[in-house]
């Protein structure tokens, strides 16, 4: 059964190869089912190997399977070989088990994606790399898997690379992890210098040959490596941004694979940690404690449902480092396993919510989701109770084991580490309760107008007001033109009236100069009547023209008033920021009334009113149910009541070589510490309910900008890299280009010049050489004769 170990990484590798060749042809959902089957095959193979190890005695559970020689150089050889022991198989069980569920979930989640098959190709390669990391029988093979998960994380985090934020997040993860790789490589070199081997068989059995000073340096380098991969201070910055990728990727990275590799490496090399100075191992504990508290405070104020979980992962990984630093390798692995279940559950639950709410990730836009997505809600609640440390869910047992080991650590440092861990646990229960309330409970805020929509409506209203100014100005110009035209008409009508009056006077005089007996009297009378009638008509036309002038003048005045009103409205709007929905919300926060902006709301608001949130398909909900079961009950693998119930501890014992810390506190102390931790979780949950569900005021004192921006540490890095860092890097590039490369080029130029000089003396002509010999002979003869003469 142990000989089947090679099948564990072989299945996902085969899946990767098949998808590489036939992925496009398989398409959707065929590529997803092939990848899921490959991961499931790895899980079944792991179960078979687990059964084989279980049949062995404890001391015999250490099997090396050599496949072929990879590197051979003199006496130095490196094999492609697998180290099958309890630690490796424990890791493989949750990597392949949780990984298979994530593959199945992805079939539904990635439905319709144009790169469906490529996504599963990357997933299979990711799982294969992680399995190689934990199964490799030497540091070089572990490093191969280490780099493999780093490369795959880059591919998957930036999978939707058309969004620049996603592409940047992938590059950030890749670059940050290179810092950790530097520590890994230097530690490997030092181990080889000390032991002339990088095989775990030699390292684990001959670590006593390494001096404490060298072991201390190795531990510090391993801490650097692990801090990069497992996102500890100060190298945590890549993991919160890793949520940029598809949600199944977040679950795979944050729960089952990449981030656990640093903790695995430290646990695997526990004999070297035992050889190092105590302060270096204690430093691991303090790095973990500081990271756990730091990330927990940042999670308090996040509004993105996935980002809360991302900072939560950083915090929980801090717990694992705290456990390693106080010698609690078993609690570290215990919490790693339970965390894999409940964190995968929480991330996949968040993905289900995002899927059901049409890609909405802002918890301020959620609320009341439980009525639409009951399965997602119920399973998410299980994950929440587990991570919050509520009895009897799995997180309660594994977290309290770590707190117990911290309390057990000698001196005041142990009490301080325990206090930091307990405070972190309390904050964790609070912010996770906040997430559950804002997402699943209270009234639904999904259909409410958003701040962005109000901003868009405000801009539309402002543009409309500016358009009103342009319209009023245009009307004003037209009114002025009407005044000018009316005044011109008045002049014209005045001239017409004068002309009519003159004609009437002339006609009157002409008529008066005749008598009725004259032949043209009748004609002149008619002309007089016509001229006389024309005068009142001209007077009427003039009166109308004068009226038009008045009306046009009033139009100008009215247009001017309209312009002034429109300008005043624009000025008013420019000084009137719209009332946006509050940054901090409670489940009882009422909808924001857009007021007069309502008629200007964008199309996105109208479309959302027509959308109905829904539960996810079975391929997504089935993994949630399975993970919820294990998140609830997986604490049974290491119950604290009797030694017989320490199943995980007994299982891992052969892999730890006696380096696990011994708990010396009394049973009563254990019970008291457990009760305190359990009560802290309950108090935090009740407090969160009072603040977010029953409270009427937004908790602005808790959700501060410095917390939302993770104390601005990432922003500080960015400012340094874009400022002094950029100057320093440019200076280094100049030095390399002009000094280092210049020195090389200068040396080459010197030899070239020397060669050109020598070329003159070596033309290739025999007569030149004969002349040279003759001249040289003459000089020798003169010198010889000179010596004789003297």
């Amino acid at each position: 059964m142990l000989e089947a170990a090679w099948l564990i990484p072989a299945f996902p590798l085969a899946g990767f190869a098949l998808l590489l060749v036939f992925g496009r042809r398989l398409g959707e959902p065929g590529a997803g089912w092939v990848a899921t089957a490959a991961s499931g095959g790895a899980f079944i193979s792991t179960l078979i190997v687990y059964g084989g190890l279980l049949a062995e005695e404890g001391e015999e559970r250490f099997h090396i399977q050599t496949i072929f020689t990879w590197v051979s150089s003199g006496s130095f050889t490196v094999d492609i070989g697998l180290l099958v022991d309890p630690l490796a198989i424990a890791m493989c069980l949750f990597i392949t088990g949780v990984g298979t569920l994530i593959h199945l979930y992805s079939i539904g989640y990635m439905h319709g994606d144009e790169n469906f098959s490529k996504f599963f190709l990357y997933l299979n390669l990711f799982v294969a790399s992680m399995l190689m990391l934990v199964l490799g029988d030497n540091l070089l093979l572990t490093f191969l898997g280490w780099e493999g998960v780093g490369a795959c994380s880059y591919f998957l985090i930036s999978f939707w690379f058309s969004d620049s934020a996603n592409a940047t997040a992938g590059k950030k993860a890749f670059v940050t992890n290179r810092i950790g790789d530097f520590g890994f490589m230097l530690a490997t070199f030092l181990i080889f210098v000390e032991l002339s081997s990088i095989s775990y068989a030699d390292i684990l059995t001959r670590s006593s040959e390494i001096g404490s000073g060298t072991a201390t340096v190795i531990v510090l380098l391993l801490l650097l490596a692990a801090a990069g991969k497992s996102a500890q201070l100060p190298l945590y910055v890549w993991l919160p941004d890793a949520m940029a990728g598809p949600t199944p990727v977040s679950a795979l990275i944050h729960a089952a694979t990449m981030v656990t590799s640093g903790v695995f490496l430290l646990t695997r090399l526990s004999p070297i940690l035992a050889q190092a100075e105590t302060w270096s191992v204690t430093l691991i504990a303090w790095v973990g404690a500081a990271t756990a508290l730091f990330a927990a405070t940042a999670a308090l104020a996040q509004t993105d449902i996935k980002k809360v979980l991302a900072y939560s992962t950083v915090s929980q990984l801090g717990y694992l480092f705290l456990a390693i630093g106080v010698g609690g390798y078993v609690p570290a692995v215990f919490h790693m396993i339970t965390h894999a279940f409940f964190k995968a559950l929480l991330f996949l639950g968040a993905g289900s919510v995002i899927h059901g709410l049409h890609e909405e990730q802002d918890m301020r836009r959620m609320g009341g989701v439980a009525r639409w997505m009951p399965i997602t809600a119920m399973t998410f609640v299980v994950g929440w109770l587990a991570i919050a440390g509520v009895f009897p869910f799995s997180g309660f047992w594994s977290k309290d084991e770590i707190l117990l080991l911290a309390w057990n650590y000698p001196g005041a440092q142990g009490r301080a580490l325990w206090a930091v861990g307990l405070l972190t646990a309390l904050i964790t229960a609070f912010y996770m309760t906040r997430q559950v309330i804002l997402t699943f409970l209270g009234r639904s805020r999904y259909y409410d107008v958003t701040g962005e929509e109000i901003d868009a409506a405000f801009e539309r209203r402002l543009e409309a007001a500016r358009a009103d100014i342009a319209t009023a100005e245009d009307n004003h110009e037209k009114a002025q033109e009407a005044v000018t035209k009316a005044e011109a008409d008045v002049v014209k009508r005045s001239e017409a009236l004068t002309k009519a009056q003159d004609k009437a006077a002339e006609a009157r005089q002409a008529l008066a100069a005749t008598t009725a007996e004259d032949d043209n009297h009748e004609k002149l009378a008619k002309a007089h009547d016509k001229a006389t009638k024309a005068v009142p008509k001209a007077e009427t036309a003039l009166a109308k023209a004068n009226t038009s002038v008045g009306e046009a003048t009033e139009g100008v005045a009215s247009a001017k008033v309209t312009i002034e009103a429109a300008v005043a409205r624009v000025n008013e709007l420019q000084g009137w920021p719209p009332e946006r929905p509050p940054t901090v919300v409670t489940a009882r926060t009422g909808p924001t009334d857009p007021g007069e902006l309502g008629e200007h709301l964008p199309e996105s608001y109208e479309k959302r009113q027509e959308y109905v949130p829904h539960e996810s398909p079975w391929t997504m909900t089935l993994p949630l149910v399975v993970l919820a079961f294990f998140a609830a009950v997986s604490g049974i693998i290491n119950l604290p009541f009797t030694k017989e119930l320490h199943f995980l501890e007994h299982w891992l014992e052969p892999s730890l070589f006696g380096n696990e810390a011994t708990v010396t506190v009394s049973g009563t102390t254990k019970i008291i510490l457990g009760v305190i931790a359990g009560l802290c979780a309950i108090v935090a949950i009740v407090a969160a309910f009072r603040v977010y569900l029953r409270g009427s005021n937004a908790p602005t004192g808790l959700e501060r900008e410095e917390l939302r921006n993770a104390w601005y540490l990432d922003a500080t890095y960015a400012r340094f890299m874009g400022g002094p860092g950029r100057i320093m890097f440019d200076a280094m590039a100049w030095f390399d280009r002009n000094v280092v490369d210049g020195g090389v080029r200068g040396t080459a130029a010197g030899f070239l010049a020397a060669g050109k000089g020598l070329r003159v003396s070596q033309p290739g002509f025999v007569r030149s050489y004969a002349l040279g010999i003759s001249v040289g002979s003459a000089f020798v003869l003169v010198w010889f004769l000179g010596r004789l003469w003297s």
Side-chain angles (χ1 to χ4, degrees):
M1 297 173 72
L2 295 178
E3 297 302 322
W6 68 274
L7 290 173
I8 299 175
F11 269 108
L13 276 176
F16 165 76
L18 282 172
L19 293 176
L20 185 62
V21 178
F22 302 109
R24 290 286 184 183
R25 296 180 185 178
L26 289 169
E28 182 187 347
W33 286 112
V34 168
T36 304
S39 183
F43 177 63
I44 295 171
S45 300
T46 304
L47 288 176
I48 293 171
V49 175
Y50 169 71
L53 272 187
L54 205 59
E56 302 288 339
E57 295 295 328
E59 297 77 10
E60 302 299 324
R61 293 172 181 169
F62 199 90
H63 174 73
I64 295 178
Q65 183 180 17
T66 301
I67 301 175
F68 61 87
T69 298
W70 180 20
V71 178
S72 179
S73 177
S75 60
F76 176 69
T77 60
V78 177
D79 295 328
I80 295 291
L82 306 180
L83 171 57
V84 181
D85 75 325
L87 176 60
I89 294 305
M91 296 288 295
C92 288
L93 281 170
F94 73 78
I95 291 169
T96 57
V98 175
T100 301
L101 293 173
I102 292 172
H103 276 72
L104 177 61
Y105 177 96
S106 300
I107 295 174
Y109 189 87
M110 297 301 291
H111 171 66
D113 194 282
E114 60 181 350
N115 292 311
F116 185 87
S117 62
K118 182 187 292 185
F119 179 79
F120 284 94
L121 178 141
Y122 290 156
L123 280 191
N124 267 187
L125 183 59
F126 203 147
V127 172
S129 298
M130 188 64 193
L131 291 173
M132 190 58 66
L133 189 155
V134 300
L135 284 170
D137 74 338
N138 59 76
L139 282 169
L140 187 57
L141 202 52
T142 295
F143 189 67
L144 176 66
W146 186 276
E147 291 300 290
V149 295
C152 290
S153 69
Y154 169 72
F155 295 145
L156 288 167
I157 293 170
S158 57
F159 186 75
W160 290 322
F161 59 86
S162 56
D163 186 334
S164 60
N166 297 342
T168 300
K171 290 185 287 187
K172 190 174 184 179
F174 190 82
V175 171
T176 306
N177 274 275
R178 301 292 72 75
I179 301 173
D181 296 347
F182 175 75
F184 191 116
M185 288 188 293
L186 289 185
T188 301
F189 298 155
L190 273 178
I191 291 172
F192 178 74
V193 168
E194 290 295 308
L195 300 178
S196 299
S197 175
I198 56 173
S199 170
Y200 288 128
D202 292 323
I203 296 171
L204 299 178
T205 57
R206 295 170 51 203
S207 58
S208 59
E209 299 176 19
I210 302 176
S212 62
T214 304
T216 300
V217 175
I218 293 173
V219 167
L220 295 178
L221 292 171
L222 291 175
L223 174 58
L224 176 63
K229 226 37 160 212
S230 295
Q232 297 297 285
L233 286 171
L235 302 179
Y236 82 95
V237 292
W238 69 271
L239 192 55
D241 289 347
M243 46 150 279
T247 300
V249 174
S250 302
L252 197 62
I253 292 176
H254 288 250
T257 57
M258 184 169 172
V259 296
T260 63
S261 55
V263 179
F264 166 79
L265 183 66
L266 294 174
T267 304
R268 171 62 80 200
L269 298 178
S270 60
I272 294 181
L273 271 65
Q275 288 294 113
E277 298 288 346
T278 302
W279 66 265
S280 64
V281 182
T282 305
L283 178 63
I284 298 175
W286 278 111
V287 167
T291 303
L293 182 58
F294 165 84
T297 59
L300 276 171
Q302 302 305 314
T303 56
D304 188 304
I305 188 172
K306 287 173 65 177
K307 207 152 196 175
V308 174
L309 300 176
Y311 277 107
S312 170
T313 298
V314 176
S315 182
Q316 296 300 304
L317 291 170
Y319 267 117
L320 302 184
F321 275 68
L322 169 58
I324 295 291
V326 296
Y329 298 103
V330 172
V333 176
F334 186 19
H335 197 61
M336 189 193 306
I337 294 171
T338 60
H339 177 263
F341 290 129
F342 62 67
K343 185 53 61 69
L345 169 62
L346 291 170
F347 260 112
L348 296 185
S352 181
V353 171
I354 294 168
H355 182 269
L357 295 184
H358 198 57
E359 304 307 314
E360 181 61 67
Q361 293 188 205
D362 192 336
M363 294 187 299
R364 295 170 297 181
R365 307 288 317 119
M366 297 179 184
V369 173
R371 70 174 66 97
W372 294 309
M373 308 180 70
I375 299 175
T376 299
M378 287 187 291
T379 54
F380 198 95
V381 164
V382 173
W384 156 53
L385 294 174
I387 193 174
V390 174
F391 178 87
F393 293 86
S394 62
F396 171 82
W397 307 106
S398 58
K399 172 180 62 64
D400 280 15
E401 285 286 323
I402 295 174
L403 293 177
L404 174 61
L405 264 292
W407 180 273
N408 183 74
Y409 197 70
Q413 287 197 86
R415 301 295 187 269
L417 289 168
W418 174 82
V420 173
L422 186 66
L423 177 60
T424 301
L426 187 146
I427 297 174
T428 301
F430 184 89
Y431 70 68
M432 287 304 303
T433 306
R434 165 184 176 266
Q435 183 176 45
V436 169
I437 293 171
L438 294 183
T439 303
F440 295 102
L441 305 180
R443 71 172 193 86
S444 170
R445 298 178 297 278
Y446 179 71
Y447 296 108
D448 295 351
V449 62
T450 68
E452 292 74 16
E453 289 167 343
I454 287 182
D455 288 344
F458 176 75
E459 288 301 322
R460 287 186 176 190
R461 181 67 187 88
L462 189 58
E463 287 301 317
R466 288 171 177 155
D468 289 343
I469 293 178
T471 301
E473 289 176 342
D474 185 54
N475 290 337
H476 181 266
E477 183 178 348
K478 289 179 179 178
Q480 287 179 324
E481 291 175 355
V483 169
T484 302
K485 184 177 180 181
E487 288 175 344
D489 193 43
V490 166
V491 172
K492 180 179 177 182
R493 297 301 177 184
S494 296
E495 292 175 350
L497 176 61
T498 302
K499 187 175 180 180
Q501 289 173 338
D502 291 343
K503 284 184 177 182
E506 291 175 358
R508 190 180 309 112
Q509 291 176 357
L511 181 64
T514 62
T515 61
E517 290 78 12
D518 292 340
D519 293 336
N520 61 349
H521 180 79
E522 185 177 352
K523 182 179 179 181
L524 290 174
K526 289 181 179 179
H528 176 265
D529 289 342
K530 184 177 180 181
T532 302
K533 291 178 180 179
V535 171
K537 287 182 180 180
E539 289 175 344
T540 301
L542 178 60
K544 287 183 178 179
N546 284 323
T547 301
S548 296
V549 170
E551 290 175 350
T553 302
E554 290 177 0
V556 170
S558 176
K560 188 175 181 180
V561 170
T562 303
I563 290 173
E564 291 173 352
V567 170
R569 181 56 175 158
V570 168
N571 292 335
E572 178 188 357
L573 287 172
Q574 287 175 334
W576 169 65
E579 181 184 353
R580 302 174 93 248
T583 302
V584 183
V585 299
T586 68
R588 295 180 61 186
T589 304
T592 299
D593 181 9
E596 65 177 275
L597 297 178
E599 60 183 292
H600 298 281
L601 289 172
E603 187 179 355
S604 62
Y605 176 79
E606 299 298 331
K607 285 185 175 180
R608 193 168 63 255
Q609 307 311 305
E610 302 171 0
Y611 183 79
V612 179
H614 56 82
E615 185 61 272
S616 299
W618 74 269
T619 53
M620 296 174 65
T621 55
L622 178 60
L624 295 180
V625 173
V626 175
L627 287 169
F629 173 78
F630 285 104
V633 307
S634 58
I636 63 174
I637 65 175
N638 208 60
L639 294 173
F641 305 117
T642 65
K643 279 290 183 182
E644 287 72 23
L645 296 177
H646 292 188
F647 302 114
L648 182 64
E649 181 179 339
H650 297 321
W651 172 254
L652 292 176
E653 188 174 352
S655 298
L656 300 178
F657 294 86
N659 294 311
E660 176 71 12
T662 302
V663 177
T664 58
V665 301
S666 65
T668 303
T669 302
K670 293 179 183 178
I671 294 174
I672 293 173
L673 292 177
V675 170
I676 291 174
L679 288 177
C680 282
I682 298 300
V683 167
I685 290 172
V686 171
F689 268 96
R690 289 184 63 84
V691 170
Y692 287 97
L693 191 62
R694 298 184 178 278
S696 57
N697 296 319
T700 53
L702 291 172
E703 300 187 17
R704 305 179 65 86
E705 279 301 311
E706 54 266 31
L707 300 183
R708 187 169 291 109
N709 290 282
W711 302 100
Y712 298 105
L713 184 58
D714 196 0
T716 301
Y717 288 171
R719 284 196 299 271
F720 173 80
M721 292 301 176
R726 183 60 178 265
I727 295 172
M728 181 179 69
F729 299 145
D730 288 342
M732 293 173 64
W734 179 90
F735 181 84
D736 180 67
R737 186 171 55 253
N738 294 280
V739 178
V740 178
D741 290 349
V744 173
R745 288 194 298 269
T747 302
F751 278 105
L752 182 61
K756 288 180 178 179
L758 288 173
R759 191 189 304 167
V760 175
S761 64
Q762 297 289 330
F765 297 114
V766 175
R767 60 178 179 271
S768 298
Y769 298 154
L771 177 61
I773 292 171
S774 300
V775 173
S777 300
F779 273 112
V780 171
L781 181 60
V782 170
W783 175 83
F784 182 72
L785 292 175
R787 294 284 294 178
L788 288 176
W789 184 263
S790 63

